[in-house]
Amino acid sequence: MIRTKFKPVLFMSALMALSPAAFALDGAELYKTKTCLTCHGKDGKTTIMPSYPKIAGQNEAYALQQMKDIKSGARANGMSAAMKGIMHLVTDEEMEALAKYLSTLQP
Ligand code: HEC
């Protein structure tokens, strides 16, 4: 299981302390379980590659649309391929929760 790589308990308790609302908790959980943090960083801004986008504090509607477009292939530049590989694991409802969560992070 991928969870074992990331000290999930410590990570979750840190996020829960910061997240006031239920939807944010859900998005925080998804951000970890869907492996977003491996590329974008656990804070959404410490990216694994300098060229990967910081997404902490991103506008919710924009982030949601980008995720949908990367999943569908509508957004398909050179770097989108890296993320597209995992997007079959993420539903529309999960993308909504993730976009909400990202918008609550400190940019
Ligand atoms: C394998 C690495 C990788 C993973 C895993 C990954 N991403 Fe990405 N993500 C990227 C890259 C690279 C881009 C930039 C794509 C491009 O240039 O079109 C990106 C773009 C984005 C964007 C658009 C940013 C912008 O400013 O337009 C959002 C939002 C996003 N990712 C959220 C997520 C979420 C949420 C997850 C987990 C479900 C996730 N990503 C998983 C690598 C990844």
Side-chain angles (χ1 to χ4, degrees), residues 49 51-53 70 73-85:
M49 299 281 283
S51 56
Y52 285 6
I70 289 169
R75 173 169 167 174
N77 64 30
M79 292 204 304
S80 314
M83 178 165 152
K84 188 173 195 291

Side-chain angles (χ1 to χ4, degrees), residues 11 15 31 36-48 52-58 101-102 105-107:
F11 183 57
L15 287 173
Y31 189 75
C36 317
L37 85 175
T38 59
C39 291
H40 294 285
K42 65 181 178 184
D43 57 1
K45 54 190 172 188
T46 312
T47 57
I48 192 175
Y52 285 6
K54 296 173 181 137
I55 53 177
Q58 186 53 272
Y101 168 66
L102 291 175
L105 296 180
Q106 195 61 34

